[in-house]
Amino acid sequence: MGSKPEHLGLETALNRAGRNVSEAGFINTPICRGSTVIHTAYEQVADSRKLPISYFYGTLGNPTCRALESAWTAMTGAAGTVLQPSGLAAATLALMAATKGGDTIFVCDTVYLPVRNYCAGYLKKMNVTTVYYKSTISPDDMRELFKQHPQTTVLYFESPGSQTFEVQDIPALSAVAKEFDATTIVDNTWATPIFFDALRKGCDISVEAGTKYLSGHSDLLLGLVAANEKWFPAIKQAHMDFGSLAGNEDCFLALRGLRTMYIRVKEAERRGLEVARWVREQKCVLKVLHPAFETCPGHEAWKRDFTGSTGVFSFILQPEYTLEDVGRMLDNMKVFCMGYSWGGFESLIMHYDCTPFRTAEKFNPGGRLIRLSIGLEDVEDLKADLLQGFAWLDNK
């Protein structure tokens, strides 16, 4: 169920997945709006298996949503996919499905801050304990951590970390988790399934913010949860229990984005690497954090497990620059825009200070951290904009 046909290349599969031209006649699946489904016989209400059609009520899906679920299932090699109204909702649904009161979960210290807040709020209230681990942890140290916390049921990855870009050895760490019968969940938003095959690398559940590269245009919010055969029933049940749905128009736009996703992500990789190499040579820059660079923690795991990189990376300014200097630089950017998220056609820039919330390891990058998301503008314009922005660092 959901596997990519072996005779089709990835680009062709993305072009065809989730399409049923014979059903509607249109290349693109139309937007289907609706809540109530009309049933023509009582036996259909009494036993949904006797439905002549596969829809029971609006919260359980419609043709537009099903098309996207089917496409993402094929893309990830999952047993099934459920859709959520945001990437954060996808992450929290996965954690809700995989935990119960009294559990302990291991979460990487580089995790997306709203997920950390969810763990400290809702999960703590449900008597779930969160233990944060270093993003550079070895399999042996992870094994020791499991021995110290035998009640641990979930290992949650974000790889690379979305501010500091450490890459974890997911196959090795997942193997350790399986020794202790723990479930593995990964936030795969940076790489997408195009560049990292999460489920085949050992993860049970893969979550993604379709808001980013799947959308590609910064105009929708969407989360996707893909799971293997063992975990898809629990994910589907949690989805039904909470009734949290992705918008029909957002699903339609995501399906449209899927058709060009490979080309956009590959172009993001090319442009991102070009800008990152250029940034690395600037005298005001201490270092660049990019998984494709040998100096990035976990680079060897990236080289082995990933098939590419996307257009999001960070750099560290020289230590003499203050937050006031950074603010002046950001306020005077002309092409780069200040904004969260990534994966759209516009280039974004943002300053991050992870000091208040990193707990497993001290956040000490050596200077102010700036994250870039490279869009589809002319690369020379992006370089020129950064150059004039760097000039503002010293324009006191």
Side-chain angles (χ1 to χ4, degrees):
M1 176 182 179
S3 61
K4 178 175 74 66
E6 292 300 322
H7 64 285
L8 292 181
L10 177 59
E11 293 174 76
T12 308
L14 290 175
N15 185 287
R16 296 292 192 270
R19 283 172 48 187
N20 187 354
V21 177
S22 62
E23 184 176 285
F26 295 101
I27 290 177
N28 291 314
T29 303
I31 298 173
C32 179
R33 298 181 179 88
S35 54
T36 298
V37 175
I38 296 299
H39 305 282
T40 57
Y42 176 73
E43 67 174 358
Q44 299 168 12
V45 179
D47 186 353
S48 62
R49 291 172 298 180
K50 296 182 179 180
L51 282 169
I53 55 176
S54 58
Y55 304 104
F56 189 79
Y57 186 69
T59 56
L60 303 181
N62 62 48
T64 312
C65 298
R66 291 278 177 87
L68 180 57
E69 290 170 350
S70 171
W72 199 255
T73 296
M75 189 175 176
T76 57
T81 299
V82 300
L83 307 177
Q84 290 290 279
S86 69
L88 176 60
T92 58
L93 182 82
L95 285 167
M96 278 188 277
T99 56
K100 63 184 183 303
D103 284 353
T104 292
I105 63 172
F106 294 159
V107 177
C108 61
D109 205 33
T110 56
V111 71
Y112 180 49
L113 181 56
V115 172
R116 185 183 287 266
N117 294 338
Y118 171 77
C119 293
Y122 182 86
L123 286 188
K124 184 178 180 180
K125 187 170 65 175
M126 295 296 105
N127 195 29
V128 174
T129 301
T130 303
V131 174
Y132 291 96
Y133 66 88
K134 294 182 179 181
S135 58
T136 55
I137 194 170
S138 69
D140 286 343
D141 287 344
M142 179 62 78
R143 188 174 289 108
E144 287 304 311
L145 198 61
F146 270 104
K147 290 177 181 178
Q148 294 168 21
H149 302 275
Q151 68 277 30
T152 301
T153 58
V154 170
L155 174 56
Y156 188 99
F157 306 108
E158 182 181 296
S159 181
S162 59
Q163 280 96 43
T164 44
F165 295 93
E166 303 92 337
V167 179
Q168 297 175 67
D169 190 340
I170 288 181
L173 295 175
S174 293
V176 172
K178 284 176 173 52
E179 293 176 22
F180 296 87
D181 198 29
T183 305
T184 49
I185 304 172
V186 64
D187 183 335
N188 196 32
T189 303
W190 180 85
T192 81
I194 292 174
F195 287 150
F196 184 66
D197 196 349
L199 299 185
R200 291 187 181 91
K201 294 296 183 183
C203 293
D204 296 301
I205 302 168
S206 177
V207 300
E208 182 110 8
T211 307
K212 298 177 172 66
Y213 280 118
L214 178 56
S215 161
H217 294 81
S218 303
D219 57 2
L220 64 87
L221 289 166
L222 183 69
L224 307 101
V225 187
N228 60 19
E229 282 190 25
K230 177 181 178 180
W231 274 99
F232 181 64
I235 293 294
K236 184 65 175 177
Q237 187 62 53
H239 177 246
M240 293 169 62
D241 289 345
F242 282 90
S244 55
L245 307 174
N248 298 318
E249 286 82 359
D250 288 347
C251 292
F252 172 83
L253 290 171
L255 278 166
R256 190 171 68 174
L258 185 70
R259 310 310 175 198
T260 61
M261 186 177 175
Y262 182 88
I263 294 171
R264 289 186 288 100
V265 170
K266 289 296 290 183
E267 187 63 14
E269 176 184 37
R270 183 187 72 80
R271 291 166 184 253
L273 284 169
E274 182 176 345
V275 174
R277 291 174 181 135
W278 179 87
V279 168
R280 186 170 54 180
E281 301 304 315
Q282 305 310 304
K283 64 179 183 179
C284 63
V285 173
L286 178 66
K287 58 184 172 182
V288 170
L289 306 176
H290 192 302
F293 289 2
E294 291 183 359
T295 53
C296 191
H299 167 74
E300 289 302 317
W302 173 84
K303 189 165 63 172
R304 182 195 66 207
D305 297 332
F306 290 65
T307 59
S309 59
T310 51
V312 190
F313 65 93
S314 292
F315 62 88
I316 309 299
L317 290 169
Q318 295 288 354
E320 64 262 29
Y321 294 111
T322 66
L323 184 57
E324 182 181 359
D325 297 332
V326 170
R328 192 168 54 251
M329 171 189 166
L330 297 182
D331 285 343
N332 285 281
M333 301 301 293
K334 307 300 182 186
V335 179
F336 280 90
C337 301
M338 273 189 285
Y340 295 102
S341 197
W342 68 74
F345 53 84
E346 74 295 338
S347 290
L348 300 174
I349 187 168
M350 187 62 70
H351 169 262
Y352 285 94
D353 180 4
C354 304
T355 305
F357 50 85
R358 293 281 175 92
T359 56
E361 50 193 330
K362 185 177 180 181
F363 179 72
N364 186 20
R368 294 290 171 179
L369 184 147
I370 306 293
R371 190 180 76 183
L372 300 180
S373 172
I374 304 303
L376 299 179
E377 301 91 347
D378 189 295
V379 170
E380 294 306 314
D381 290 338
L382 296 177
K383 293 177 185 176
D385 195 43
L386 286 168
L387 200 60
Q388 68 86 27
F390 292 153
W392 279 98
L393 290 170
D394 296 307
N395 188 11
K396 300 181 189 256

